[in-house]
Amino acid sequence: MLLPSRNLYQLNRRPNRRVWTMLGTAALLAVLLSGLWVWRQLQPVNRHDSHPQYVKVQSGQSASSIARVLQKRGLIRSALVFRILSRTSHLSRSLESGVYRIRPSETPQQILQAMRTGEVVTIRVTIPEGYTVQQIITRLVAAHIGSSPATYLSLLQHPLPGMPAPAPGVRDPYEGYLFPATYKFAYGTTPAQALAIMWQTFERKVEPLYSKDRTSLSFVQWVTLASIVQREDKEPQEASGIAGVFVNRLVAGMPLQSDATVRYALDNSIRGPLTYTNLTVVSPYNTYLHKGLQGK
């Protein structure tokens, strides 16, 4: 009687082994398929499409929101996987705001890395020393900051906060207060923002120099004289000597007689030597006709 009972136990046991084997196989297959799916979602949407799209990330925008935008724009395969990746890599709360240039040929990992390090699109603009406001505006427009010089007209009539009020008759209140440098403006910078950045750079770099100079000139006069010397100067080592001559003329009550101011009055239209007629042009900027500096 024992033998049949043992056989019955074995018969009852064999199906359980098969079930567990089948379940294990199914689970392994599910894991492999899930891993394959995740791997697929981490691949570029199109390795051969390098055409960039511009995506703006707002300050404080969540990784989930960014992921939805990227998927909608066809730049990633899965918003879910992007969100999980940002959390597992501890980047979900450290994505920098700004405009990014993203291509379908990039992986989600590359996109996240760019947003972590703040590789935002910038517009590089170099403003040389001695440029007038109008020349600066022309260069900004050429860099697509503003559609035309006309977009700056109303802005240039009103000094920015902290900028000295212009004296009566001043043509460009911003003249001399936009610092010459190489700027990297964020993509989408407006004309007003560009002018503000250049003025703030001027404040930060120039006002401390004026404070150390201990001159009797007002800040406006000091900046004006510096601008004149810059345009008169042919060699850097001559700048201090030219400035000294002009200061002595101011102290003596003499006109500065600066050719640079006459050229400015003539909109820098004269390339060669100035004529006597040029020197008699009627303009508040003609220092052959007017003594002193504006802003007294």
Side-chain angles (χ1 to χ4, degrees), residues 53-248:
Q53 294 189 40
Y54 295 91
V55 178
K56 185 173 184 178
V57 174
Q58 303 285 355
S59 178
Q61 188 174 2
S62 67
S64 298
S65 175
I66 297 170
R68 288 193 296 270
V69 171
L70 293 174
Q71 184 177 23
K72 185 177 180 180
R73 299 276 293 272
L75 294 168
I76 60 174
R77 295 177 179 274
S78 170
L80 173 63
V81 171
F82 185 92
R83 184 168 67 249
I84 293 173
L85 180 63
S86 70
R87 290 180 178 176
T88 56
S89 57
H90 308 290
L91 297 178
S92 59
R93 296 183 180 275
S94 59
L95 302 181
E96 298 290 335
S97 61
V99 175
Y100 292 87
R101 185 186 290 112
I102 302 175
R103 299 170 176 83
S105 58
E106 296 178 77
T107 66
Q109 298 93 317
Q110 291 173 321
I111 296 172
L112 274 172
Q113 180 64 17
M115 291 183 177
R116 183 188 72 82
T117 56
E119 297 175 19
V120 297
V121 180
T122 58
I123 302 172
R124 185 184 178 93
V125 182
T126 298
I127 307 299
E129 292 185 3
Y131 259 36
T132 66
V133 169
Q134 296 306 316
Q135 288 174 312
I136 293 172
I137 299 308
T138 298
R139 181 152 289 198
L140 290 174
V141 170
H144 305 291
I145 300 177
S147 58
S148 69
T151 59
Y152 288 85
L153 288 179
S154 60
L155 297 172
L156 295 176
Q157 302 308 310
H158 307 285
L160 290 166
M163 187 179 288
V170 168
R171 184 170 64 201
D172 285 312
Y174 285 47
E175 195 71 73
Y177 298 106
L178 301 179
F179 192 79
T182 295
Y183 293 90
K184 290 183 178 180
F185 295 110
Y187 183 86
T189 295
T190 66
Q193 291 169 334
L195 294 176
I197 290 170
M198 297 178 71
W199 157 242
Q200 290 161 6
T201 305
F202 180 92
E203 278 189 299
R204 187 173 65 255
K205 293 182 176 292
V206 175
E207 286 194 345
L209 299 178
Y210 171 71
S211 299
K212 291 181 181 179
D213 200 17
R214 297 182 181 180
T215 177
S216 59
L217 299 177
S218 70
F219 182 63
V220 174
Q221 292 173 323
W222 186 82
V223 171
T224 302
L225 183 59
S227 298
I228 294 172
V229 170
Q230 185 181 62
R231 290 184 173 88
E232 286 278 358
D233 185 18
K234 299 300 186 294
E235 298 293 337
Q237 61 268 25
E238 297 178 4
S240 59
I242 295 173
V245 170
F246 285 149
V247 169
N248 290 335

Side-chain angles (χ1 to χ4, degrees), residues 14-30:
R14 286 173 185 171
N16 289 338
R17 286 182 176 177
R18 291 195 185 101
V19 169
W20 283 113
T21 300
M22 291 174 62
L23 289 175
T25 303
L28 179 60
L29 183 61

